Amino acid sequence: MAISIDISQIKSALDSGTGITREQALAVLSCEGIPLLSLLDLSAGIRFRHFGREVLIHILNNAENGRCPEDCRYCAQSASSSASIEVYALKSDEEILAEARAAHERGAFRYCMVFAGSEPSDERVEHLMGLVRTIKERWPLEVCVSPGRVTSEQARRLRAAGLDRLNHNLNTSSSYYSEICSSHTYEERVQTVRAAKAAGLAVCSGVIVGMGETKEDVFQMAKDLGALGADSIPVNFFIPLEGVALKDPGALTPEYCLRVLCLFRLMNPRTEIRMAAGRERHLRSLQPLGLYVANSLFLGGYLNAQGGADRETLAIVRDLGFSIRSEVPLEDLLKVEHPKVRIKDQKDLRPFCK
Ligand code: SF4
């Protein structure tokens, strides 16, 4: 398919405030479309204007793992999954607090606690409120929780306890949602995002790209998250863990992943865009270019998948001449030996653009 849209039309759409059209978005996402370097140049300019050269480091704590009754087909914790994961009930407060301290010492700006399950009970929310208060008293960390679907009242209570941010991902587009989950709807996810915003919480709401969705779906996700006022958008790239219900559609290449990051940056210029799960596997050697677009990343791994070694990721930040927002200097963090972590299952790596 011949694509006639060029970078000047994208610039005009941004300058005039009309926003990027569906056709322009498809040209951004197509490897035969706008040249990648032109897109990167435009996206990097926006990133530098709003966020300078700073990278926000996030560290995830999977505070509870497995036995979720929902059937999200991409998720190793789902009832529909036979993935071999370490199932455990909620970690003790001592363990969660020790991991918050460790996250601070590893240079984290934000500490994210993730809980399995559909929706928290009021007792669970009360418990989270205590953890949030303690962490905020002890360390200069921003705290984010991912508790599942919450009511407006629960969101208000979490905010009152000092919670900075609530994570609830949309994951995919409205029209594709029923393909990846049947136990709840896209609209239910949107309601939680709205409840959190209304309570005054910052909202982190992201996507998983590479689950079989179309480029139109990717455009719709970037548009919907902008309309919802997401403060942070983690862009995850699907990691097909063995045993999850969703089979790998095999759609991702490093170039396409970069184009996806560019589209989210162009359509959400002031939003924190994160290179999230799967960056090692799917962006591969193009990860440094991703940081010219995204301004945050996860360090050290994801919910049920290993990530790259801390030092390798931090070296990318240093080599780019970027900085991190942390009390711990980047050079000190680079001296710490962390175990070398393997990136699993690279046997079917794909070419840069196919
Ligand atoms: S994504 Fe969340 S709600 Fe869905 S199965 Fe996994 S833990 Fe449960």
Side-chain angles (χ1 to χ4, degrees):
M1 180 183 68
I3 295 176
S4 57
I5 292 167
D6 65 24
I7 195 75
S8 66
Q9 289 164 277
I10 306 286
K11 279 182 188 154
S12 301
L14 297 177
D15 291 346
S16 65
T18 55
I20 289 180
T21 64
R22 172 187 165 281
E23 288 68 29
Q24 290 168 341
L26 297 184
V28 169
L29 292 175
S30 169
C31 291
E32 294 78 39
I34 299 167
L36 182 61
L37 284 182
S38 305
L39 267 182
L40 282 171
D41 183 48
L42 183 61
S43 304
I46 296 169
R47 184 246 204 261
F48 291 143
R49 192 174 323 137
H50 297 297
F51 302 99
R53 291 177 169 263
E54 187 176 66
V55 178
L56 302 178
I57 302 285
H58 294 231
I59 292 183
L60 274 176
N61 180 359
N62 204 9
E64 180 182 34
N65 203 35
R67 297 202 195 98
C68 180
E70 304 281 338
D71 76 346
C72 307
R73 297 180 64 228
Y74 53 86
C75 179
Q77 302 185 51
S78 154
S80 65
S81 161
S82 61
S84 139
I85 58 170
E86 186 190 356
V87 174
Y88 49 81
L90 185 62
K91 291 177 181 173
S92 69
D93 288 3
E94 290 69 28
E95 199 173 346
I96 290 173
L97 294 173
E99 286 172 351
R101 187 191 66 236
H104 170 58
E105 289 168 356
R106 285 168 65 199
F109 164 71
R110 191 170 282 115
Y111 178 57
C112 314
M113 292 178 280
V114 185
F115 303 85
S118 324
E119 40 205 29
S121 63
D122 287 342
E123 292 71 35
R124 167 64 62 87
V125 169
E126 190 73 36
H127 186 191
L128 289 183
M129 290 164 65
L131 283 169
V132 169
R133 284 194 201 99
T134 306
I135 293 168
K136 299 290 287 182
E137 278 164 17
R138 294 190 186 172
W139 301 284
L141 285 166
E142 288 231 348
V143 181
C144 176
V145 299
S146 186
R149 298 190 295 277
V150 295
T151 64
S152 300
E153 178 56 22
Q154 289 175 328
R156 272 195 293 275
R157 294 178 69 209
L158 287 164
R159 178 70 190 125
L163 181 67
D164 298 293
R165 182 180 271 190
L166 186 131
N167 164 263
H168 200 63
N169 292 338
L170 295 187
N171 292 320
T172 194
S173 72
S174 157
S175 56
Y176 195 62
Y177 205 83
S178 61
E179 296 293 323
I180 60 148
C181 179
S182 63
S183 57
H184 61 265
T185 64
Y186 178 85
E187 191 48 41
E188 285 179 274
R189 287 200 167 249
V190 166
Q191 278 168 16
T192 288
V193 170
R194 291 209 170 103
K197 287 295 285 185
L201 286 162
V203 166
C204 171
S205 184
V207 299
I208 308 173
V209 178
M211 297 197 292
E213 74 288 335
T214 63
K215 293 185 175 82
E216 279 88 351
D217 289 316
V218 176
F219 167 61
Q220 200 56 50
M221 291 183 237
K223 193 171 172 184
D224 285 0
L225 286 166
L228 284 166
D231 301 276
S232 159
I233 302 179
V235 178
N236 299 283
F237 302 104
F238 179 53
I239 302 175
L241 292 178
E242 208 174 316
V244 298
L246 185 68
K247 297 300 161 230
D248 183 10
L252 299 181
T253 64
E255 174 170 356
Y256 180 66
C257 294
L258 267 185
R259 288 176 177 274
V260 169
L261 288 173
C262 288
L263 183 68
F264 276 85
R265 170 58 68 217
L266 297 173
M267 292 183 68
N268 297 278
R270 294 170 189 275
T271 304
E272 179 186 336
I273 304 288
R274 185 167 324 119
M275 288 202 303
R279 64 178 165 81
E280 297 92 340
R281 176 189 176 96
H282 293 295
L283 279 160
R284 292 159 32 202
S285 59
L286 300 193
Q287 285 188 77
L289 293 178
L291 277 184
Y292 279 104
V293 182
N295 64 308
S296 77
L297 50 76
F298 283 122
L299 194 65
Y302 313 103
L303 294 185
N304 285 287
Q306 293 172 327
D310 283 13
R311 263 214 317 208
E312 287 173 12
T313 298
L314 294 168
I316 292 174
V317 176
R318 178 202 56 202
D319 294 349
L320 287 168
F322 288 10
S323 61
I324 60 168
R325 193 186 300 176
S326 168
E327 283 192 339
V328 188
L330 180 56
E331 287 307 321
D332 290 357
L333 293 170
L334 280 160
K335 289 177 196 148
V336 180
E337 279 287 355
H338 291 285
K340 173 89 180 155
V341 185
R342 279 182 302 116
I343 304 170
K344 283 187 188 166
D345 192 18
Q346 296 212 38
K347 61 183 180 299
D348 59 346
L349 291 179
R350 295 179 179 80
F352 275 19
C353 190
K354 60 173 193 174

